[in-house]
Amino acid sequence: MKCNFCWEDLEGQAVVTACGHLFCSEDAAKILRDEGGCPVCDQPFRVTNDVEMNPNEHWINMAMTGVTPELAMRTASESLKFYISQMELQCENKMNRFGNQCREQCQGMKSKCIEKMEQVREAYEKLGKRCGLMEQEVANLTKDKQELQEKFSETSRMTLSTRKKRKLNEIYDQLSREFESVKHTATQRVNMEDHHFSVVENREPTRRDRLSLYSPAPRGPRDQIWPARQKSANETFW
């Protein structure tokens, strides 16, 4: 059996109270000294008798001497009741200890869960702030992209206009050169004809000249009258 206070195995002398509970000598003396009640049922702590937890054969023989069978059976019945009550107390104590341990573990797990939930909440708030910053950054990048697209479109239009202007300037320069070339050729042609006429006017007319006055000269090919303009390498554009 076990002491109903410290729940240690009883050895040697033990104390039985009037309320039917069993204590070791040390705990019984401590309870009597503190003038407290029974720690099991809170009734007044009164010691009825001392019992021997490990009786020897001599003590058993002395105790059973002169005991009638009826008394022995009644004593055995009372002993069984006391033993059963003690076993029930021990089971109750074990259940209470197990319940306390479970409550302590549940409290520990609850505190850990609360701590983890707090950490998760803080992490969620941080992620929310980070997502907000990322959304703002995406909005800024979208705005920058639109501005760059507008600048690129404007630059493309300016580049296209510059190319067209450059091409027109090249065409104008080419036409100017061709005009100068044609002008120069025509001027030379006129000068040569003026010189020819001046030579013809200064010499005496011959018989052929007189005949030529009445018979016009046949027309030659058109290329001989007005030489074709030579194509330059820059005219490939046309």
Side-chain angles (χ1 to χ4, degrees):
M1 294 186 182
K2 295 181 180 295
C3 174
N4 297 158
F5 184 78
C6 63
W7 299 104
E8 298 291 338
D9 292 332
L10 293 173
E11 295 180 0
Q13 294 290 328
V15 176
V16 178
T17 61
C19 55
H21 297 116
L22 187 65
F23 300 95
C24 61
S25 301
E26 292 81 3
D27 292 336
K30 182 179 179 181
I31 295 170
L32 288 172
R33 185 170 60 250
D34 296 338
E35 296 181 357
C38 178
V40 179
C41 60
D42 291 333
Q43 294 183 8
F45 192 81
R46 290 182 299 172
V47 178
T48 57
N49 56 357
D50 296 334
V51 295
E52 182 68 27
M53 298 306 301
N54 296 315
N56 52 24
E57 293 293 333
H58 178 71
W59 188 91
I60 294 173
N61 293 330
M62 290 293 295
M64 297 299 293
T65 301
V67 177
T68 63
E70 292 82 3
L71 181 61
M73 292 296 295
R74 188 172 61 182
T75 303
S77 177
E78 295 295 330
S79 299
L80 287 174
K81 291 180 181 179
F82 183 78
Y83 180 81
I84 291 171
S85 65
Q86 288 296 315
M87 293 298 102
E88 290 177 351
L89 287 175
Q90 291 183 17
C91 291
E92 183 180 356
N93 177 65
K94 289 181 180 180
M95 292 296 294
N96 291 333
R97 290 174 62 183
F98 181 75
N100 292 331
Q101 291 177 358
C102 290
R103 280 192 294 271
E104 291 177 357
Q105 291 179 359
C106 289
Q107 289 293 333
M109 292 176 65
K110 182 179 179 180
S111 61
K112 290 181 179 179
C113 289
I114 293 173
E115 184 179 358
K116 290 294 183 181
M117 290 296 294
E118 187 68 21
Q119 293 177 358
V120 170
R121 186 182 64 81
E122 293 178 357
Y124 178 77
E125 291 179 355
K126 290 180 180 179
L127 287 175
K129 293 180 180 179
R130 187 174 180 181
C131 289
L133 294 175
M134 292 178 68
E135 289 178 356
Q136 184 177 1
E137 186 176 358
V138 168
N140 294 331
L141 290 174
T142 304
K143 184 178 179 181
D144 294 340
K145 179 183 177 181
Q146 292 178 355
E147 292 178 355
L148 289 173
Q149 286 179 349
E150 292 176 358
K151 290 181 180 180
F152 178 76
S153 300
E154 184 178 358
T155 304
S156 299
R157 289 193 298 269
M158 292 177 64
T159 304
L160 183 61
S161 177
T162 304
R163 289 179 180 177
K164 289 182 178 180
K165 184 177 179 180
R166 187 181 303 167
K167 193 68 177 179
L168 290 174
N169 290 332
E170 291 178 357
I171 294 171
Y172 176 77
D173 294 338
Q174 183 178 356
L175 291 175
S176 298
R177 288 193 297 270
E178 290 179 359
F179 175 75
E180 292 295 333
S181 177
V182 171
K183 181 180 178 181
H184 180 68
T185 304
T187 304
Q188 288 182 351
R189 187 80 175 179
V190 170
N191 292 333
M192 289 176 64
E193 289 179 356
D194 291 340
H195 178 69
H196 177 70
F197 289 144
S198 64
V199 171
V200 171
E201 289 177 357
N202 291 331
R203 70 181 177 82
E204 293 181 0
T206 60
R207 185 172 177 273
R208 183 179 294 179
D209 294 334
R210 294 190 187 98
L211 293 174
S212 64
L213 293 174
Y214 301 98
S215 59
R219 291 179 176 272
R222 185 175 179 182
D223 294 339
Q224 295 179 1
I225 297 173
W226 188 265
R229 175 168 56 87
Q230 298 179 355
K231 293 185 179 181
S232 61
N234 297 326
E235 288 183 312
T236 57
F237 177 79
W238 299 94

